Amino acid sequence: MPGSKLVAIFFLLIHGCILTYGQTIAPNEDSALVAEMKKYTFLNTHDSLMLNKQAMNSFCMAAKKCCKDTNEQLNIIYIGDSHLQAGYNIGVVRRKLQRKFGNAGRGLVFPYRLAKSNGPYDYVSFSADEWDYRRNVFADSTFTTGIMGFALRSISDSVQFGIVLRSNEGLQYAFKRLQLFTDSCASCKVTVTDSAGLMLAKRTNQSPYIHQFDFDTEVSSFKIIIDADSLKRINISGVNVCSDSRGSLCHSVGVNGATFKSFASQSLFFNHLSKLDAQLVIISLGTNEAFNVYRLDTAALRAAIISMVDSIRSIFPNTAILLTTPPDAGIKVRRKKYKSHTNVAQVAKVIKHTACDKHVACYDLYTAAGSYANWYLVGMMDSKRIHFTRKAYEIQGFMLANQILNLIENTP
């Protein structure tokens, strides 16, 4: 059977499974998470853990305007490492804000499966073609990464891939607009349809790095077909799917193993970032800086944080920036014996001090989440004492979302 027919059948099967999946989701997750959090007395939800609150004023005012203006959108870009890539914590933040301000779409997505990596559970990707890939942790001068911190490079002249969006805790992410982020490839021909190939999107804008398409009606899936010049393969950096409706749009950019330097060293990332209108940029990094070295170079860490903050400010001078400290993690000292990694505590301290010096907001997740040992004892952390379970990440996302919403409500 030809590859295109296999892909079409795959789309239909996945689409049916996704509809079933979406129908089983309970719509009210807030009450469930509140009940779950009551079990864990080690959590700290005090509002004093949001530092430099005044640096969030521009975002809070934009949020209040979004509540009043039927045409306004509230756009957030959340950048992080493996704590973010699976999408559990940002998923809660996204849904909570969209239930408050309205649903403007899913935002950035990436076909992680084609890059042999894990991704959020609220969409699936597929392709019958083979791809080369990188993430910003291992990028080089010949293979740069863009907005999602990942890049796919077509191996053959003609390739295609697609993504189907799931119903996400009762929220639907049908869209009419699609933006494909790439490297510079003016010679590439790009076609966009829905997953079944029945509806063709119209190209509405094109720059060297972004191909924009609009559908006549809302769809919940897409297929991108690329015919590239054999002398210049195209690099796929990410796809933004959204609508023109009022509401919140929360973009998630998570990369396993990433550091501040991983993002700051990629000029294409900031080129793409400049194309996204943002009222708030959240940066949750630091765990890998702690684990990558025996003795932490605090001066180098501070310089990397400043570099990233300054690069974002050069793009969005009036946009609020929120740094978060990494959660506590354990390090093995001998067989079956762990202790808190002192480097993580140092990283958290450097991030808080740098945030103060650069006049940006900071959420102290290190203090809010408490000791890694507590999470491990209740079965919500992996055996290496670094990563959390889905429910733990959702709780942490819920805590951050509440801090943000409380700040908005208390801003005059």
Side-chain angles (χ1 to χ4, degrees):
M1 181 179 289
S4 60
K5 289 185 178 180
L6 285 173
V7 170
I9 292 172
F10 175 83
F11 266 129
L12 292 173
L13 291 173
I14 287 294
H15 190 65
C17 292
I18 287 171
L19 290 176
T20 302
Y21 175 93
Q23 291 167 358
T24 64
I25 297 298
N28 189 2
E29 63 178 338
D30 280 20
S31 58
L33 285 170
V34 168
E36 189 74 19
M37 288 174 61
K38 289 179 179 178
K39 302 176 185 177
Y40 312 117
T41 57
F42 55 84
L43 297 175
N44 188 339
T45 59
H46 198 277
D47 61 7
S48 64
L49 299 181
M50 181 68 79
L51 312 175
N52 306 327
K53 297 177 184 180
Q54 68 280 1
M56 292 279 283
N57 283 348
S58 63
F59 169 73
C60 293
M61 295 306 295
K64 288 181 176 294
K65 186 177 180 181
C66 184
C67 285
K68 299 175 182 178
D69 192 331
T70 56
N71 297 317
E72 202 71 20
Q73 284 194 352
L74 188 67
N75 296 329
I76 298 169
I77 302 170
Y78 197 151
I79 302 165
D81 48 30
S82 56
H83 291 306
L84 185 65
Q85 185 172 321
Y88 299 132
N89 40 15
I90 178 59
V92 171
V93 175
R94 178 183 295 112
R95 294 188 294 272
K96 196 166 177 63
L97 291 180
Q98 287 181 336
R99 289 179 181 129
K100 172 73 173 180
F101 300 105
N103 178 2
R106 177 55 175 78
L108 288 170
V109 295
F110 184 81
Y112 291 99
R113 190 180 68 84
L114 309 187
K116 306 295 189 294
S117 193
N118 64 299
Y121 68 92
D122 61 336
Y123 61 87
V124 292
S125 59
F126 58 88
S127 175
D129 300 301
E130 291 189 14
W131 302 77
D132 195 3
Y133 52 88
R134 294 284 193 283
R135 50 192 165 104
N136 58 17
V137 181
F138 303 111
D140 54 52
S141 59
T142 63
F143 204 145
T144 59
T145 60
I147 186 61
M148 294 297 283
F150 278 80
L152 292 173
R153 177 178 291 170
S154 56
I155 293 177
S156 59
D157 291 352
S158 181
V159 293
Q160 59 181 274
F161 72 95
I163 286 179
V164 181
L165 303 179
R166 288 172 164 166
S167 171
N168 188 3
E169 302 286 352
L171 292 174
Q172 303 295 328
Y173 289 124
F175 60 92
K176 294 182 72 173
R177 174 159 296 167
L178 180 149
Q179 293 174 314
L180 173 66
F181 290 79
T182 69
D183 62 347
S184 181
C185 188
S187 61
C188 298
K189 178 184 176 182
V190 180
T191 303
V192 177
T193 71
D194 67 312
S195 60
L198 300 176
M199 286 180 280
L200 179 67
K202 300 173 183 177
R203 181 185 291 277
T204 53
N205 193 18
Q206 180 177 357
S207 72
Y209 302 101
I210 298 181
H211 309 260
Q212 182 170 299
F213 297 83
D214 286 348
F215 286 92
D216 289 334
T217 60
E218 288 189 336
V219 297
S220 58
S221 66
F222 64 81
K223 179 167 60 175
I224 295 177
I225 304 165
I226 300 167
D227 292 312
D229 188 319
S230 60
L231 298 177
K232 180 66 171 71
R233 306 299 187 195
I234 190 171
N235 282 8
I236 305 298
S237 298
V239 181
N240 178 26
V241 289
C242 58
S243 68
D244 290 327
S245 62
R246 166 195 170 274
S248 176
L249 195 64
C250 296
H251 302 290
S252 174
V253 180
V255 183
N256 292 342
T259 62
F260 283 95
K261 187 176 180 181
S262 302
F263 285 99
S265 64
Q266 296 294 301
S267 60
L268 185 59
F269 169 77
F270 294 102
N271 185 303
H272 286 162
L273 187 68
S274 68
K275 311 302 181 184
L276 296 171
D277 183 25
Q279 286 78 46
L280 173 63
V281 177
I282 306 173
I283 307 173
S284 296
L285 296 164
T287 295
N288 293 300
E289 281 88 346
F291 278 86
N292 287 349
V293 294
Y294 175 74
R295 187 182 298 277
L296 182 69
D297 186 341
T298 56
L301 172 61
R302 175 181 166 82
I305 298 169
I306 291 174
S307 175
M308 191 163 181
V309 168
D310 287 347
S311 294
I312 293 172
R313 276 184 167 161
S314 69
I315 297 169
F316 302 126
N318 300 315
T319 293
I321 298 175
L322 171 62
L323 302 178
T324 82
T325 58
D328 187 27
I331 186 171
K332 192 173 184 179
V333 292
R334 59 179 181 272
R335 187 173 180 270
K336 295 185 178 182
K337 180 68 174 179
Y338 287 78
K339 68 173 184 178
S340 286
H341 199 319
T342 55
N343 280 358
V344 178
Q346 281 187 279
V347 168
K349 186 176 180 180
V350 171
I351 289 175
K352 287 190 288 185
H353 286 174
T354 307
C356 182
D357 293 341
K358 296 298 292 182
H359 307 291
V360 300
C362 181
Y363 174 57
D364 188 4
L365 177 61
Y366 184 86
T367 301
S371 170
Y372 81 91
N374 292 325
W375 292 98
Y376 184 76
L377 286 174
V378 295
M380 299 179 77
M381 207 168 196
D382 67 6
S383 60
K384 293 183 178 180
R385 278 73 161 181
I386 299 174
H387 294 103
F388 299 84
T389 64
R390 172 178 173 174
K391 184 59 66 178
Y393 280 125
E394 289 177 338
I395 289 172
Q396 292 172 19
F398 188 68
M399 292 166 65
L400 173 59
N402 283 338
Q403 290 276 347
I404 292 172
L405 288 172
N406 288 339
L407 196 58
I408 293 169
E409 291 173 3
N410 293 321
T411 298

